[in-house]
Amino acid sequence: MEKKNSIWRNQNFVPYFLANALSNLGNWFDFVAVLILFRYTWQADPMLIALIPIMYAIPSILLGQFAGVFADRKDKRKLLIYSDWIRGGLTLLIVLTTSPWFALPVLLLRNAVGVVSFPAQQGLMRSIVVEEDIMKAVTINGSLYQLMKVVGPLIGGSVTGFFSPEVSIVVNAASFILSGLILLKVEVKHQAFQENEVQEGKEASSFLTSWKEGWRIVLKSQVLFASMMFGIVSTLTIQMIDTQIVTLFSEVFPNKPEITGWAISGIGMGSLIVVLYLNRLDEILRYGWFFGMGSALIGVMVLGFGFLDHFNLVTVALGLSIIGGVGNGITFTAINYLIQKEPPQEAIGRVSGIVDSTLSVLFIAGPLLGGILISQFGVLLAFKGIGISLAVIGLLGIVLQNYIWGKRHTFSKSQLEREAYPEIEKGGEQV
């Protein structure tokens, strides 16, 4: 029991956790409020509303990898503080806008400023959490994220309905500002970054070299590369059916529109339950079980949804949602643990930026591909096909995990330096 609770005695982890909680809660408050503001206050048409998630995804796609390099080269705590405060100011600016055409650029700018947060958070956590507590930290943060996915929209929607969308948006602005203030309490003695770094025999790594270095780490590590591929498959599948669940349920349960919200909450609840359970583990030894099982369970959910026309039971739909949520939570935990554990500490920002930007592409590609498949084959058949494919991929990941993941490739700082600066090894001078 003492070992399990040791992370809460870490004086730096507690403010880090509280700041993360405020940011997540504010984000979900904000997203619901922005949707309501666009539709109910400004009477925006569906195509304009469809641009909102794109404003969230585009910055990560275009800037995610470079934000990772930037986070590795700078003080991560300061980056998070300034990012929170700037986003807080831009969030207040949304309240002052009078048209969706003014609000969209502000959303884009705000999310561009926030791109650095994910790699900076990942790098900062590795700097303040000891090696044996990494799994605990990952699952605690994962539990927080999944809890906010369930609670945030419910509270945000209620506050918005009782007061106004502007009130919820102001709450998010306040949460960003308070999050930055709390992060001031975090003290990092041995943070790995390369700001103003001058080493004997060479100059500091260029931005482009650092970016290539991050990709080299991902591509040379079979564990990182195979895991990212599985994460891509799972995320793409979820995004293909995420926005189309309402289409499926409108066909299967035409007189029960509330089922859509229940199913989405069920997915979040399943994710929360399994992440809380995984907090018991000290480490992940076999990634194949996590990524394979996660993919297989999500596949079971999607496949089961495709047969709802035969069962037409609300309890079956909710049960399948929880099963899929468990798979999503397993995959989510594995990806975040992977980012913390596999790359060297000084490259966590770059690796997390690569993962974040790659997965963000799927937030645009997934819904488009899902819409095409459903238009061609119908919603039920499309769900069956997607579900079978993902379940089979997950089972193959479990059975063939020794071949797919292979042995871990451990990178040391000296190895990174040799690969980034081959001329040092040759005894020559950098040109």
Side-chain angles (χ1 to χ4, degrees):
M1 187 71 178
E2 184 177 347
K3 186 177 180 180
K4 289 184 178 181
N5 292 330
S6 63
I7 193 169
W8 295 111
R9 294 197 296 271
N10 184 331
Q11 295 181 352
N12 286 316
F13 180 75
V14 173
Y16 169 87
F17 174 81
L18 290 175
N20 198 15
L22 281 169
S23 294
N24 276 292
L25 181 62
N27 278 331
W28 285 109
F29 256 73
D30 186 275
F31 187 71
V32 174
V34 167
L35 289 175
I36 294 175
L37 181 66
F38 269 63
R39 182 59 185 166
Y40 287 86
T41 303
W42 291 331
Q43 300 296 313
D45 60 66
M47 286 303 297
L48 198 57
I49 293 175
L51 293 175
I52 296 175
I54 293 177
M55 296 299 104
Y56 282 80
I58 283 180
S60 293
I61 295 171
L62 298 180
L63 304 174
Q65 296 184 36
F66 300 104
V69 177
F70 190 71
D72 277 340
R73 300 165 69 91
K74 300 295 180 180
D75 186 319
K76 298 165 185 63
R77 185 184 71 106
K78 289 181 180 178
L79 284 179
L80 284 173
I81 291 171
Y82 295 145
S83 174
D84 281 344
W85 287 347
I86 294 171
R87 283 187 291 167
L90 291 171
T91 301
L92 288 175
L93 188 59
I94 295 174
V95 178
L96 303 176
T97 59
T98 57
S99 163
W101 293 109
F102 289 109
L104 286 172
V106 178
L107 284 173
L108 183 66
L109 181 59
R110 188 187 67 177
N111 292 312
V113 173
V115 167
V116 75
S117 293
F118 180 69
Q121 279 182 348
Q122 296 290 333
L124 181 61
M125 187 169 79
R126 182 72 174 270
S127 299
I128 63 177
V129 175
V130 295
E131 190 78 15
E132 56 267 26
D133 283 338
I134 288 177
M135 186 66 179
K136 294 287 183 293
V138 167
T139 51
I140 288 171
N141 276 327
S143 302
L144 170 71
Y145 179 78
Q146 300 299 338
L147 178 63
M148 292 308 152
K149 280 176 65 176
V150 177
V151 175
L154 293 176
I155 299 177
S158 300
V159 170
T160 298
F162 190 77
F163 296 102
S164 69
E166 289 82 0
V167 171
S168 291
I169 293 172
V170 169
V171 169
N172 186 28
S175 71
F176 276 131
I177 295 170
L178 186 56
S179 172
L181 291 172
I182 292 176
L183 284 170
L184 291 172
K185 300 289 186 180
V186 177
E187 297 180 1
V188 185
K189 295 181 180 179
H190 303 291
Q191 185 174 182
F193 64 93
Q194 304 169 0
E195 186 175 22
N196 298 325
E197 185 183 272
V198 179
Q199 301 179 33
E200 292 183 9
K202 63 178 182 287
E203 297 178 358
S205 171
S206 70
F207 205 83
L208 183 59
T209 301
S210 296
W211 174 72
K212 290 179 179 178
E213 205 175 278
W215 270 106
R216 186 184 297 117
I217 292 169
V218 172
L219 296 176
K220 288 195 70 172
S221 168
Q222 189 170 344
V223 171
L224 280 170
F225 184 74
S227 299
M228 193 167 78
M229 291 300 101
F230 261 80
I232 287 173
V233 171
S234 301
T235 304
L236 178 62
T237 307
I238 285 290
Q239 292 305 312
M240 284 170 67
I241 59 96
D242 191 32
T243 55
Q244 299 297 339
I245 287 179
V246 65
T247 305
L248 174 76
F249 287 163
S250 67
E251 186 171 314
V252 179
F253 305 108
N255 299 318
K256 297 178 179 178
E258 66 276 9
I259 301 300
T260 300
W262 294 354
I264 294 173
S265 293
I267 293 173
M269 187 60 65
S271 299
L272 175 61
I273 290 170
V274 74
V275 172
L276 287 172
Y277 176 78
L278 292 174
N279 184 249
R280 300 180 178 187
L281 300 180
D282 292 325
E283 60 180 329
I284 294 177
L285 298 176
R286 305 287 297 274
Y287 285 109
W289 281 108
F290 277 74
F291 285 102
M293 186 65 69
S295 299
L297 290 175
I298 297 171
V300 168
M301 176 190 72
V302 179
L303 177 61
F305 281 169
F307 285 98
L308 281 177
D309 58 326
H310 296 289
F311 300 102
N312 199 25
L313 294 173
V314 174
T315 52
V316 174
L318 295 181
L320 288 169
S321 299
I322 293 174
I323 290 173
V326 170
N328 182 58
I330 292 173
T331 304
F332 176 87
T333 300
I335 289 175
N336 283 276
Y337 179 84
L338 177 92
I339 290 172
Q340 289 293 319
K341 192 72 174 180
E342 295 303 325
Q345 182 176 349
E346 59 272 12
I348 287 179
R350 278 165 282 179
V351 173
S352 59
I354 289 170
V355 173
D356 186 38
S357 65
T358 303
L359 296 183
S360 293
V361 175
L362 308 180
F363 286 96
I364 295 178
L368 293 175
L369 185 56
I372 292 171
L373 288 176
I374 288 173
S375 299
Q376 291 292 321
F377 303 105
V379 64
L380 291 169
L381 184 58
F383 268 65
K384 290 173 186 174
I386 294 170
I388 291 173
S389 300
L390 188 54
V392 169
I393 290 172
L395 292 175
L396 288 175
I398 295 172
V399 174
L400 302 176
Q401 60 180 299
N402 289 336
Y403 174 76
I404 296 173
W405 274 268
K407 294 182 179 180
R408 294 183 179 182
H409 185 112
T410 303
F411 291 89
S412 65
K413 184 170 183 179
S414 60
Q415 180 181 353
L416 285 177
E417 291 172 350
R418 286 197 303 273
E419 293 181 353
Y421 308 98
E423 67 281 353
I424 299 299
E425 198 168 318
K426 295 176 182 177
E429 296 182 359
Q430 185 171 358
V431 179

